[in-house]
Amino acid sequence: MVQWTSAVGAAQLARLLNSQQDRPAGPGTRRPPAYRSLADGVRLLVLEGRVPVAARLPAERELALSLSVSRTTVAAAYEALRAEGFLESRRGAGSWTAVPAGNPLPARGLEPLPPEALGSVIDLGTAALPAPEPWLTRAVQGALEELPPYAHTHGDYPAGLPALRAMLAERYTARGIPTMPEQIMVTTGAMGAMDAICHLFAGRGERIAVESPSYANILQLMREAGARLVPVAMAEGLAGWDLDRWRQVLREAAPRLAYVVADFHNPTGALADEDQRRQLVDAARSAGTVLVADETMTELWLEPDVHMPRPVCGFDPAGSTVITVGSASKAFWAGMRIGWVRAAPDIIRSLVAARAYADLGTPVLEQLAINWLLSTGGWEQAVAMRREQARDNRDALVTAVRRELPDWEFAVPRGGLTLWVRTGGLSGSRIAEAGERVGVRVPSGPRFGVDGAFEGYVRLPFTVGGAVADEAAVRLAAAARIVASGGSGGGESPRTFVA
């Protein structure tokens, strides 16, 4: 059985290796042998996620020609990578990237922090802000006023309340995407939507192509559904998707599903432009792959001059390729577990029929609350508050991290809720572990990759601002010092912080 799920060509790998900046050697420092530099370069590409795990590497002779080195150098580098667990090989199948068994994979980081820990620990684990009051209270009060007629029914609406389905359809139509209520299913959050889609389209053992990095909770949902994840590396910084890689993976791996976040990608913050969206939809259609577009961040643009491209489904007029997932959790409040799916009517009917064996429906009161917000203009005002808060938090966090951790690298996104940070060569998993001891909770990069990639990253959400952001950066710097020194962190202790 072939163990690789994608491939990296010799020319492509050579470009990636050549893009790495060698640190200048100090006086008297001996440069490592050529094979060692090559092995270290490949290992770094795997750990950063720029070369996916389980990607077939080029043959030794091909890579040697592309790098203008001897085949002996490449063979020695491959052997070193095999010895370290970063490469696996089998005669007749080639060699493919791997991550060593036992490489730290954090078990925590995205679950909500227990309330009793809030006084001593700054929680950077979840990308969720407090509710935008008074709009939550007003929405619930409005929902209670509309509840009595529904209370006289059985209360089960597997496709969602008709009024909310119609409202969501109207909003897509207003965005230039003609939509009928029959194309909408209301779900229990975006996670509920993705769970239903995965069970309908991707049975156990099916391939799902995912961005690398991608949203950690969705990756875990897919793993637990038994899917085989095929990572597709993102372009550098905020450039979005690498379309050449996407076309290659869709053509060669033939995944049943592909999952993407086009609008302020979680965790990188990238915003895919219209041409990228058009090309990816065309590539998915040609490959027979169903493309799931996650729009949970689409309304969280943080700069007034951001021009939002057309939705991904706008490039699929026939409705045969793209399924859209939306949610109130990021734009409004994570405690409001309302999500939705927009798709062709026959897909919606299939999802609704399958729901009879899952949760039957989404709570009526919460649907009424969201419908009240959308129909009264309260949604727009609440989301405007959310944007202002997220922008202020982002700016405070960026300033604090640059001051306390000048070696850490990141591109500042113009929307979304997350900062994707390269940790200056330190292990993100070990920083997360040390952070727990000094009073800051942060998820490490491997949570957002497939099979342990992105060890050199952490994700920082825009959930704290002002003095709390300053203190969070101070504690992150303390965690980084612990990791850099190889110490246990016994000399550091969390300080109680009152916002």
Side-chain angles (χ1 to χ4, degrees):
M1 179 179 175
V2 176
Q3 301 297 312
W4 50 271
T5 56
S6 61
V8 180
Q12 178 187 2
L13 183 56
R15 286 195 302 271
L16 291 171
L17 289 165
N18 290 332
S19 70
Q20 295 174 338
Q21 298 296 318
D22 292 331
R23 294 182 179 179
T29 302
R30 296 178 59 185
R31 286 191 174 275
Y35 85 89
R36 184 68 262 172
S37 294
L38 176 55
D40 289 345
V42 173
R43 177 176 56 81
L44 181 60
L45 289 172
V46 173
L47 290 176
E48 289 187 340
R50 297 176 67 192
V51 169
V53 175
R56 186 179 63 175
L57 294 186
E60 295 170 2
R61 187 185 303 276
E62 294 175 2
L63 185 57
L65 287 172
S66 292
L67 292 173
S68 299
V69 300
S70 70
R71 183 177 177 182
T72 302
T73 296
V74 177
Y78 277 16
E79 182 58 36
L81 290 167
R82 277 189 287 269
E84 296 164 3
F86 285 93
L87 196 68
E88 297 180 11
S89 304
R90 194 175 71 226
R91 186 177 298 276
S95 299
W96 55 93
T97 56
V99 169
N103 205 62
L105 288 174
R108 296 179 292 171
L110 298 183
E111 300 81 7
L113 188 69
E116 61 270 18
L118 289 175
S120 61
V121 178
I122 298 175
D123 186 11
L124 298 180
T126 56
L129 291 162
E133 288 287 26
W135 295 106
L136 174 61
T137 298
R138 292 181 182 177
V140 173
Q141 291 171 341
L144 287 171
E145 293 175 2
E146 308 237 342
L147 182 61
Y150 296 94
H152 293 292
T153 73
H154 50 64
D156 288 335
Y157 295 87
L161 293 184
L164 181 55
R165 296 176 73 195
M167 179 61 65
L168 292 169
E170 286 180 17
R171 289 177 67 84
Y172 277 105
T173 300
R175 294 169 65 190
I177 312 297
T179 303
M180 304 178 295
E182 292 79 10
Q183 292 177 262
I184 301 292
M185 180 177 83
V186 181
T187 62
T188 307
M191 293 292 289
M194 284 304 305
D195 183 63
I197 292 167
C198 288
H199 279 89
L200 180 63
F201 285 96
R204 186 165 294 275
E206 291 276 6
R207 289 190 175 103
I208 302 180
V210 295
E211 298 152 324
S212 184
S214 187
Y215 178 39
N217 287 338
I218 293 294
L219 295 180
Q220 188 59 30
L221 182 153
M222 293 173 177
R223 291 187 189 101
E224 292 182 1
R228 297 172 59 191
L229 302 185
V230 184
V232 186
M234 296 285 288
E236 280 292 292
L238 299 177
W241 300 321
D242 185 326
L243 271 302
D244 288 338
R245 295 186 190 183
W246 269 105
R247 278 188 285 265
Q248 181 183 24
V249 167
L250 293 175
R251 182 176 62 250
E252 296 180 359
R256 183 71 181 91
L257 278 181
Y259 168 77
V260 297
V261 185
D263 301 324
F264 309 118
H265 174 257
N266 186 353
T268 69
L271 175 65
D273 62 33
E274 290 208 359
D275 188 54
Q276 288 177 318
R277 296 169 192 236
R278 180 184 296 104
Q279 289 189 53
L280 185 56
V281 172
D282 289 346
R285 184 184 298 114
S286 297
T289 297
V290 175
L291 183 64
V292 182
D294 184 334
E295 287 191 341
T296 53
M297 298 280 191
T298 192
E299 296 194 63
L300 290 177
W301 42 266
L302 304 183
E303 306 291 350
D305 60 343
V306 171
H307 172 69
M308 292 301 297
R310 276 190 293 165
V312 176
C313 59
F315 301 94
D316 179 38
S320 59
T321 299
V322 177
I323 297 176
T324 302
V325 170
S327 172
S329 297
K330 298 298 185 185
F332 184 71
W333 184 47
M336 190 66 75
R337 305 304 305 161
I338 298 294
W340 53 86
V341 178
R342 181 202 179 274
D346 59 323
I347 293 175
I348 294 297
R349 286 193 293 269
S350 297
L351 288 170
V352 171
R355 194 173 194 180
Y357 307 100
D359 63 357
L360 291 177
T362 301
V364 170
L365 189 62
E366 293 185 17
Q367 293 187 71
L368 288 172
I370 294 299
N371 190 61
W372 183 91
L373 285 166
L374 295 174
S375 61
T376 62
W379 177 269
E380 284 71 21
Q381 295 185 63
V383 173
M385 290 177 59
R386 172 68 77 239
R387 291 192 195 107
E388 182 178 0
Q389 184 180 14
R391 180 171 57 250
D392 290 346
N393 287 355
R394 179 200 62 184
D395 295 346
L397 187 64
V398 165
T399 299
V401 172
R402 283 177 171 164
R403 180 182 64 246
E404 301 293 337
L405 293 149
D407 291 338
W408 286 19
E409 303 173 38
F410 51 85
V412 180
R414 307 190 73 202
L417 289 173
T418 57
L419 199 65
W420 185 236
V421 182
R422 186 179 295 175
T423 53
L426 300 177
S427 164
S429 295
R430 292 186 175 88
I431 288 173
E433 181 184 10
E436 296 272 358
R437 297 197 294 274
V438 299
V440 61
R441 191 163 177 263
V442 58
S444 65
R447 290 297 302 269
F448 304 89
V450 175
D451 297 329
F454 303 107
E455 184 57 61
Y457 288 81
V458 295
R459 189 195 73 171
L460 305 180
F462 310 146
T463 52
V464 297
V468 185
D470 291 337
E471 179 66 15
V474 168
R475 296 185 187 188
L476 284 171
R481 288 194 297 272
I482 292 171
V483 175
S485 67
S488 64
E492 304 274 1
S493 59
R495 295 178 288 173
T496 300
F497 186 87
V498 180

